[in-house]
Amino acid sequence: MSFSISQNRPNWLALLHKLLLVAAITALTGCAVLDPHRIVSRQVDRLTVSSTLDAHNREAAFNQVWQTINDGYVDPHFNGVDWVAVRERYRPLVLNAPDDATFWAELDQMAGELNDVHTRVETPARYAQIKHDKAAGLGIGVALLDGQLVIDGVGGQTQAALLGVRSGQVLTGIDGQPALDWWQQQLAHVRGGSTSWSRDAYVLRALNNPLPATQRMLELERPDKSAFSASLRDEQIKAPPWLLSHTLTGNIAYLRFSGFDRDIKSDIMTALDQAQTAQGIVLDLRSNGGGDGLMALDILARFVTGEVKGARVITRDGKPVRLLGYPLLETEPVLQGSAHPLTAPLAILINRHSASAAELTAGAAQAIGRARVFGEVSCGCLLGFFDYDPLPGGGALAYSEVDMLLPNGQRIEGRGVQPDEPVKVTRQTLSQGSDPVLHAALDWLQQQKHPAASVQKTR
């Protein structure tokens, strides 16, 4: 989860221009005073960092990753990890890596020793994708159901979809190996994550990203037991943020979006405006990887009246986050209720890939009694950072700078949001194209009474 300045706070671009003007002053007077979280300096570093990965920059990148985490990681005890010992163990592995790919992989493995998905090192290629809203991969989702790897999602315009890969099919082989064996081998070598199930996401990423100029051979079984194979190559596509908004039967407003990205914040707020007369609202946060934590709080505020405690923010020094006198993030953020709050019953859908700001939204709404949550336990990945830290050689570091507790004092990191109504997805429901999680939410909403919406509708 990242924290940026939302639309109801000082405009980021305008503020950035001002910050760049004072960057020299900041450097001279001490950034610890004006920019304690290095928000300005990271922006400046993007313009000056070298993209060459020679021996000098390898060592510089290694030192920067270790020292930055040492100085700024939210937990001064590093989640119980001996961070000095980690440096000594990884230094020869990183600096003597036989190639650039291994260098970045080892550096990320070092960050992964903290068992925190937010603290990570991105390769230059991945960092470029992030900056330009691009994605690479085969576009398939996989879930372990009853001892089988089952396809639980396929991108609609991918090679996989074109060649007949569908939800509900069983993945039986990967590149000539039994699929479960391949999966377990990958799982044994992935970096640390916030929860045991969050590490599956790294294996899924490896499955979806074969080496460049290679192909991934998948063996699959259809529900009728017939088998087929699909040879797939990695694709890079433009992946802008998206929003789905519908009015379902019974005057139920349905919203689903890719992540908490400020580029679609106004569209989300408009969709919520249009839900004022709804009898119920479904906020579908399944496979939503999070994003801007302040945006999550702004969305939550649309569902409350008056002032409501939103969460508790934990920083390394216990102080609120400030930049040149601007309040960026308080330690006790308060949801400022809308003048026209959404009062209809709210159902929130989550799954194991709901992470970060999505977990904040679901968990906080649940904690204050504003929503009923359906689905499965979420990622358990609720920490946050302010921005990527550019590294010599072209990669980037993200490291957790804040932790969060829900209004009821619960910590989601390492635990996940526990649904009020757990709903299990099966191979049969996937192959039939049904959605038991959504159906459970709709059944609950239809049982709720919301007379205010009915009155508004008849005006």
Side-chain angles (χ1 to χ4, degrees):
M1 176 170 58
S2 62
F3 288 94
S4 303
I5 299 174
S6 299
Q7 291 179 357
N8 61 347
R9 297 169 176 83
N11 179 270
W12 172 246
L13 290 178
L15 180 59
L16 178 57
H17 290 156
K18 179 179 179 181
L19 297 180
L20 291 176
L21 289 175
V22 301
I25 301 175
T26 301
L28 292 173
T29 60
C31 63
V33 176
L34 298 178
D35 185 18
H37 292 276
R38 299 179 52 254
I39 295 172
V40 174
S41 61
R42 288 181 231 193
Q43 299 297 323
V44 175
D45 286 348
R46 288 182 178 180
L47 306 176
T48 60
V49 69
S50 171
S51 61
T52 302
L53 191 60
D54 53 19
H56 172 77
N57 280 343
R58 279 192 176 201
E59 184 160 9
F62 174 84
N63 291 336
Q64 182 175 331
V65 168
W66 188 89
Q67 195 67 53
T68 300
I69 292 174
N70 186 70
D71 295 342
Y73 192 71
V74 62
D75 179 8
H77 304 292
F78 306 103
N79 300 332
V81 173
D82 186 338
W83 189 236
V84 173
V86 168
R87 177 185 60 190
E88 300 311 311
R89 178 155 50 94
Y90 275 90
R91 185 178 183 85
L93 297 174
V94 173
L95 298 185
N96 298 324
D99 50 52
D100 290 357
T102 306
F103 168 83
W104 293 112
E106 291 289 357
L107 204 51
D108 185 45
Q109 284 281 354
M110 182 176 79
E113 292 289 329
L114 294 168
N115 292 316
D116 162 10
V117 300
H118 281 90
T119 299
R120 59 187 184 266
V121 173
E122 305 287 9
T123 66
R126 176 61 185 148
Y127 186 40
Q129 291 172 359
I130 292 169
K131 290 188 292 185
H132 297 98
D133 284 333
K134 290 185 177 181
L138 307 180
I140 59 176
V142 177
L144 184 61
L145 301 176
D146 299 324
Q148 295 179 309
L149 292 175
V150 180
I151 304 297
D152 69 349
V154 184
Q157 299 180 23
T158 60
Q159 297 175 63
L162 179 66
L163 296 178
V165 180
R166 299 288 184 270
S167 293
Q169 294 171 351
V170 175
L171 184 57
T172 59
I174 303 172
D175 294 340
Q177 284 185 268
L180 284 172
D181 290 350
W182 185 95
W183 191 273
Q184 291 302 323
Q185 289 173 13
Q186 294 289 323
L187 193 60
H189 294 96
V190 297
R191 51 155 288 165
S194 299
T195 54
S196 59
W197 56 93
S198 74
R199 297 173 72 240
D200 288 336
Y202 297 129
V203 182
L204 185 60
R205 180 185 297 180
L207 174 67
N208 273 280
N209 289 271
L211 294 173
T214 64
Q215 62 183 14
R216 178 77 78 210
M217 180 62 71
L218 304 182
E219 302 293 334
L220 300 115
E221 179 185 274
R222 301 183 181 93
D224 64 2
K225 303 298 183 181
S226 62
F228 74 104
S229 61
S231 178
L232 307 173
R233 289 186 177 273
D234 194 16
E235 296 179 304
Q236 180 166 290
I237 60 173
K238 188 70 176 174
W242 51 263
L243 163 69
L244 296 177
S245 177
H246 301 288
T247 300
L248 306 181
T249 301
N251 193 24
I252 303 297
Y254 173 90
L255 281 79
R256 185 171 190 172
F257 47 96
S258 54
F260 289 77
D261 188 309
R262 283 177 296 128
D263 286 346
I264 57 171
K265 181 181 177 182
S266 62
D267 294 332
I268 294 172
M269 292 303 186
T270 298
L272 291 175
D273 288 339
Q274 295 169 348
Q276 283 286 348
T277 60
Q279 282 291 121
I281 301 172
V282 175
L283 191 58
D284 192 342
L285 300 179
R286 289 176 293 180
S287 298
N288 185 311
D292 187 343
L294 295 177
M295 177 175 161
L297 294 176
D298 290 340
I299 290 174
L300 272 170
R302 297 297 303 274
F303 293 92
V304 302
T305 302
E307 294 186 351
V308 178
K309 181 180 177 182
R312 180 184 170 200
V313 175
I314 300 171
T315 59
R316 176 79 171 248
D317 60 8
K319 298 178 181 179
V321 179
R322 295 287 187 270
L323 175 61
L324 297 179
Y326 286 99
L328 299 188
L329 187 63
E330 303 290 351
T331 54
E332 300 281 348
V334 174
L335 304 178
Q336 299 288 344
S338 168
H340 303 286
L342 294 161
T343 58
L346 173 63
I348 298 181
L349 316 186
I350 60 173
N351 63 8
R352 68 192 182 283
H353 297 306
S354 303
S356 198
E359 294 181 283
L360 173 60
T361 303
Q366 181 188 57
I368 63 177
R370 184 59 190 87
R372 186 167 180 81
V373 179
F374 297 79
E376 59 184 355
V377 178
S378 64
C379 180
C381 311
L382 185 49
L383 296 171
F385 64 98
F386 294 110
D387 202 350
Y388 282 97
D389 202 5
L391 297 172
L397 167 69
Y399 63 101
S400 294
E401 299 170 78
V402 299
D403 195 352
M404 283 199 133
L405 301 181
L406 297 181
N408 59 5
Q410 288 186 348
R411 186 172 187 252
I412 295 303
E413 174 69 16
R415 175 180 178 271
V417 177
Q418 310 292 315
D420 297 298
E421 191 167 327
V423 183
K424 184 177 181 180
V425 175
T426 67
R427 181 190 178 188
Q428 181 179 12
T429 57
L430 287 169
S431 61
Q432 291 174 343
S434 61
D435 190 340
V437 180
L438 176 59
H439 292 159
L442 293 176
D443 288 344
W444 175 74
L445 287 172
Q446 289 170 2
Q447 296 169 15
Q448 308 308 303
K449 302 296 182 183
H450 185 46
S454 299
V455 172
Q456 291 173 341
K457 278 179 60 183
T458 57
R459 288 179 182 174

